Amino acid sequence: MIDLRRLEALVAVHRTGSVSAAAAELHYGQPTISHHLRRLEAETGAVLLQRVGRGVRLTPEGVLLARRGEEVLGLLARAEAELAAVTSLQAGRVRLAAFPSGAATLVPDALALLAGRHPGIELELTEAEPPEAHELLRAGTVDLALTFAYPDQPEPEQITSVPILDDPLHLVTRDDAAPSAGPVELAAWSGQPWVAGCERCRRELLALCADAGFTPAIAFASDDYVAVQSLVAAGLGVTVLPGLALRAHQHRGVATRRLAAHRRIQLSTYGAPPRPAAVDAVAAALTEVAG
């Protein structure tokens, strides 16, 4: 592989027209430039310079390599500049996955913070719930994921998560069927029809009801929090929803009561730190708005 310092010396001679001028431009001594040129000829097996009087000129092979060398050195300088911009948070692109209610509440506030602090950072948002978000992290499709988990859930393999918020769960009923004041007793609603999420997403609801001593009769299933609340408001069942979902949208025809249970909102990455500075900046903004 061609040594970049020797290639730089050849490019400088081609640009300035002499070894002495190249040495002055690169802040080297003439013997150093001559040494680099001799070593470059040895490495490439090509005659790159011809002596003309007391000076030198490049051979056709030397001109060809010098022109390509200008392209290589230019690309390297551009890469260094782009990396420096990203490291200093003047630029950078972060691919974020977020579950729907987090994307509707925490993410916009975090974006507003970033726009003021680091306007050069570009955020690409993908809506995904766990475990899809974890798979996107493993595949390298996203850099950071806003996810959630319940207290008894283990951490997925190779995923590192940092909690940023406890999101309380709420019993949601039709407004005129609101429970009386005092602790919420789910068992009091055991005879009602229930609105739940999909088969995969209703796990926590089933666990809460099991702890209360009953199995809910699920009449409708939807992962759309707006649709779920509309069903409840129409008197077709009761449900349990997280706080962020209610912050994103609360139907005027429902009443909510906070439960003792919660889900853990967290920032997830693949593997362990350190992370790129732009990813840390997005994580810091999300942590701040969650707090």
Side-chain angles (χ1 to χ4, degrees):
M1 184 178 293
I2 295 174
D3 188 295
L4 286 177
R5 294 172 301 171
R6 293 163 190 164
L7 186 61
E8 184 181 41
L10 180 69
V11 169
V13 170
H14 178 55
R15 182 169 54 248
T16 63
S18 70
V19 171
S20 59
E25 180 179 281
L26 298 177
H27 305 289
Y28 291 152
Q30 290 189 42
T32 301
I33 296 295
S34 298
H35 170 75
H36 283 327
L37 295 173
R38 287 195 300 270
R39 293 299 303 156
L40 185 60
E41 287 186 322
E43 287 176 349
T44 61
V47 177
L48 304 175
L49 296 163
Q50 289 179 327
R51 292 203 169 275
V52 180
R54 300 181 62 180
V56 296
R57 70 179 181 186
L58 271 62
T59 64
E61 293 83 358
V63 171
L64 174 63
L65 183 57
R67 287 175 177 169
R68 291 300 187 197
E70 287 178 336
E71 296 175 7
V72 170
L73 295 173
L75 287 172
L76 180 60
R78 179 180 174 185
E80 289 175 340
E82 290 174 348
L83 184 60
V86 170
T87 304
S88 64
L89 297 179
Q90 295 174 1
R93 182 170 69 100
V94 177
R95 300 163 300 170
L96 172 69
F99 57 92
S101 59
T105 53
L106 300 179
V107 172
D109 290 342
L111 280 173
L113 275 182
L114 284 170
R117 295 176 180 173
H118 309 295
I121 293 180
E122 175 188 349
L123 190 70
E124 180 181 307
L125 178 62
T126 299
E127 190 174 286
E129 302 224 25
E132 286 84 5
H134 299 143
E135 294 306 315
L136 292 175
L137 286 170
R138 290 192 184 95
T141 306
V142 299
D143 309 298
L144 181 68
L146 182 66
T147 62
F148 63 84
Y150 292 97
D152 60 342
Q153 283 185 264
E155 181 83 330
E157 187 177 353
Q158 298 177 316
I159 300 297
T160 300
S161 297
V162 178
I164 61 172
L165 175 69
D166 283 342
D167 188 21
L169 302 182
H170 297 256
L171 173 67
V172 183
T173 65
R174 194 170 69 177
D175 188 42
D176 59 5
S180 59
V184 179
E185 300 291 343
L186 283 185
W189 302 85
S190 60
Q192 295 292 318
W194 285 76
V195 184
C198 67
E199 291 288 341
R200 189 192 68 205
C201 302
R202 66 184 63 172
R203 175 176 174 271
E204 188 61 18
L205 171 63
L206 295 176
L208 288 172
C209 293
D211 289 343
F214 71 98
T215 300
I218 296 175
F220 299 97
S222 174
D223 288 334
D224 184 332
Y225 292 142
V226 176
V228 167
Q229 292 183 58
S230 295
L231 290 168
V232 172
L236 299 174
V238 297
T239 193
V240 169
L241 290 178
L244 286 183
L246 294 168
R247 188 196 304 183
H249 170 79
Q250 182 166 340
H251 194 293
R252 63 177 179 270
V254 304
T256 66
R257 290 289 301 280
R258 181 168 175 168
L259 302 173
H262 69 275
R263 65 177 180 175
R264 186 175 62 248
I265 307 302
Q266 53 197 17
L267 291 172
S268 301
T269 54
Y270 180 73
R275 301 176 300 202
V279 174
D280 279 337
V282 174
L286 284 164
T287 300
E288 185 170 338
V289 299

